[in-house]
Amino acid sequence: MRSRAVLALIIVVLLVSGVGIYVLVRPTGPEPGAPAAGPGETAEAYLSAWQDSDIFTMSRLVADAPADFVERHLAFSRDLDIESLTLTPGTLKRQGERAELPFQGVRGIKDLGSWAFASTLRLALRDGRWRVLWAPETLHPALKDGGRLQLKEVSAPGIELVTRSGVRFPRDSGAEDYLGGLNAAVGTTGIGYAVEAVASDGKTEELVVFPPPDAKKIKTTFSRPIQAAAARALDGVDRPAAIVAIQADTGQVLAVADRLGGEGAFRGYYPPGSTFKVITAAALLSAGLNADSPVRCPATYTPPNGQPIQNAGGDAAPGTITLAGAFAVSCNTTFVEQSILRLSAGGLVKAAELFGFNKDIKGPGVCGKIEPHGDVDDLRSDAIGQNSVVASPLCMALAAAAVQNGSWRQPSMMKRPAEPEDTVALPPGVVAGLRTMMREAVSSGTASSAGLPAGTAGKTGTAEVDGQETHAWFIGYRGKLAFAVFVKNGGSGAQAAVPIAARFLRAL
């Protein structure tokens, strides 16, 4: 009877004082004789109880819960002003009598916003039942080994950059570095707040910074649903990767999900491989070919006084095929032979410059570079996106946008007045041919087996890198949305980049 009275008193005190998001409820549990839950069921029951603030159920699922288990949770929420919690389990890993469940969480901090984190729930068999092996770092990894978290005032941008609809960017969006650069360009500051991790040795790290509560919201060109789809399409990709999405008729950046680091999606130069055949094809169309022109696609081709070139896998097309068919299957020998026959006077460089190569971008980032070829071997390799040719993922997304729209446009992340030199019109016949080729690459070519949504047009690319795994590319468009997917050292474009693009587009 006394314990019930004490429990009632505790409940009353907590409800009146409002010290956290937790509510103490009467514990529930399995009926006597019910089969023991497995590790996955136990883990999910714990996360569900945690998310529902059912602290008694949480403690009942913990092996040897510490005496201050309840107080730790209450203090954590009280000190950081947590008012909500959402938890998403990952994939359970079991080894004998132990198991681990990684999970993602989002805490809502009152009047400030969302704070994402990741942790791991560890479990073990104890007396025939699975129990949670709780430790402070279960609450947050920064609490390991005596660490602590604190909410502190910091100098922060006096503006808040938001998406074009006026809402905040999705969590873990991959666009954080780019927004930081925009904030720095605006240059105003105010008093914001940060969640800071303080290690046992006194070292500190800001985990998340919130703008001042009265920060002025400034809209960018980004689309929140497109940014979210791009970010989530990269989840689980085990190599550095990026997605850039462009609105083809304006050049506005709709999304950039960058896991390359250092703003690599906008500022990194990489060989584009066969995605550059979009530009080589533009040059060949300007030189007199069309999408239906008959061409050869031998397994190997040796230019006059030059080194031989092979198709990937040594494949060949018997007889003659169309230029569109060669583009669809990404026939290296076709594009090298035709380039040497028709572009030796510098036509490839001229075509590339229509797509922003060798030029400064007014907005963010860089585009691409190509040098005048010195001999036939230079032209041979340049024609398939190797040798002197390098480009950023932004540049190749703009190339896809130019095909969709018929004009290459300067990119922007903030709305600004258009200027005449921002737009470079492509020859109409070239545009029509490129659209045919890019549709065929998806309908029957190298990008045809990944489940891309109907209406997608594109081009795969696999770029060789000395001493390393090849880079994987896929560029394309669907409607007015143009994009580039790049996976650094990811292997084949068809196998590594196209499935990411399919996930991205299907999520829209």
Side-chain angles (χ1 to χ4, degrees), residues 193-219:
Y193 292 87
V195 177
E196 184 179 67
V198 184
S200 57
D201 60 2
K203 292 182 180 179
T204 62
E205 177 187 2
E206 289 182 353
L207 302 180
V208 61
V209 177
F210 297 100
D214 57 351
K216 179 183 178 182
K217 291 186 177 182
I218 296 181
K219 292 182 180 180

Side-chain angles (χ1 to χ4, degrees), residues 101-189:
L101 180 73
F103 64 91
Q104 303 285 328
V106 179
R107 290 182 167 103
I109 299 181
K110 187 177 180 181
D111 297 329
L112 295 182
S114 298
W115 165 36
F117 72 101
S119 190
T120 300
L121 204 62
R122 293 176 172 80
L123 303 99
L125 266 177
R126 295 289 175 85
D127 299 325
R129 291 189 178 276
W130 285 94
R131 293 286 182 262
V132 173
L133 301 179
W134 189 87
E137 57 264 32
T138 308
L139 273 169
H140 192 281
L143 301 182
K144 187 176 181 179
D145 299 328
R148 58 186 176 87
L149 295 172
Q150 62 184 18
L151 193 62
K152 58 176 283 188
E153 290 187 350
V154 294
S155 177
I159 63 167
E160 180 181 7
L161 295 173
V162 295
T163 59
R164 58 174 50 193
S165 61
V167 299
R168 287 178 170 173
F169 279 73
R171 64 181 179 87
D172 192 23
S173 69
E176 291 84 0
D177 288 346
Y178 300 85
L179 300 179
L182 288 177
N183 269 322
V186 174
T188 60
T189 60

Side-chain angles (χ1 to χ4, degrees), residues 453-470:
T456 305
K459 181 69 187 80
T460 58
T462 303
E464 295 180 357
V465 186
D466 288 342
Q468 301 178 46
E469 184 74 18
T470 54

Side-chain angles (χ1 to χ4, degrees), residues 50 110 188 250 258 304 313 335 358 395 411 427 464 483:
W50 189 4
K110 187 177 180 181
T188 60
T250 64
D258 188 343
F335 281 83
N358 295 344
C395 189
E464 295 180 357
F483 61 87

Side-chain angles (χ1 to χ4, degrees), residues 199-370:
S200 57
D201 60 2
K203 292 182 180 179
T204 62
E205 177 187 2
E206 289 182 353
L207 302 180
V208 61
V209 177
F210 297 100
D214 57 351
K216 179 183 178 182
K217 291 186 177 182
I218 296 181
K219 292 182 180 180
T220 64
T221 63
F222 286 73
S223 161
R224 192 186 194 285
I226 296 174
Q227 181 65 47
R232 301 291 72 79
L234 294 185
D235 288 347
V237 177
D238 61 0
R239 297 293 177 93
I243 297 176
V244 178
I246 301 291
Q247 184 166 321
D249 59 345
T250 64
Q252 292 178 352
V253 177
L254 298 176
V256 52
D258 188 343
R259 309 285 188 241
L260 299 169
E263 298 186 28
F266 279 16
R267 301 189 180 280
Y269 283 120
Y270 309 95
S274 289
T275 59
F276 189 75
K277 286 175 183 168
V278 170
I279 294 167
T280 305
L284 294 174
L285 293 169
S286 295
L289 294 181
N290 60 59
D292 295 325
S293 294
V295 292
R296 298 191 323 130
C297 178
T300 303
Y301 169 71
T302 302
N305 302 314
Q307 297 296 315
I309 184 75
Q310 289 185 329
N311 290 323
D315 294 332
T320 60
I321 61 174
T322 65
L323 182 64
F327 182 94
V329 298
S330 202
C331 183
N332 288 339
T333 57
T334 295
F335 281 83
V336 170
E337 182 177 28
Q338 294 301 320
S339 294
I340 289 171
L341 289 174
R342 301 172 187 274
L343 305 178
S344 59
L348 186 59
V349 173
K350 292 177 182 178
E353 289 178 346
L354 290 176
F355 288 85
F357 280 67
N358 295 344
K359 296 181 180 180
D360 292 334
I361 288 180
K362 287 185 179 179
V366 298
C367 192
K369 296 187 289 188
I370 179 173

Side-chain angles (χ1 to χ4, degrees), residues 26-43:
R26 184 178 299 278
T28 60
E31 295 294 330
E41 296 170 293
T42 300

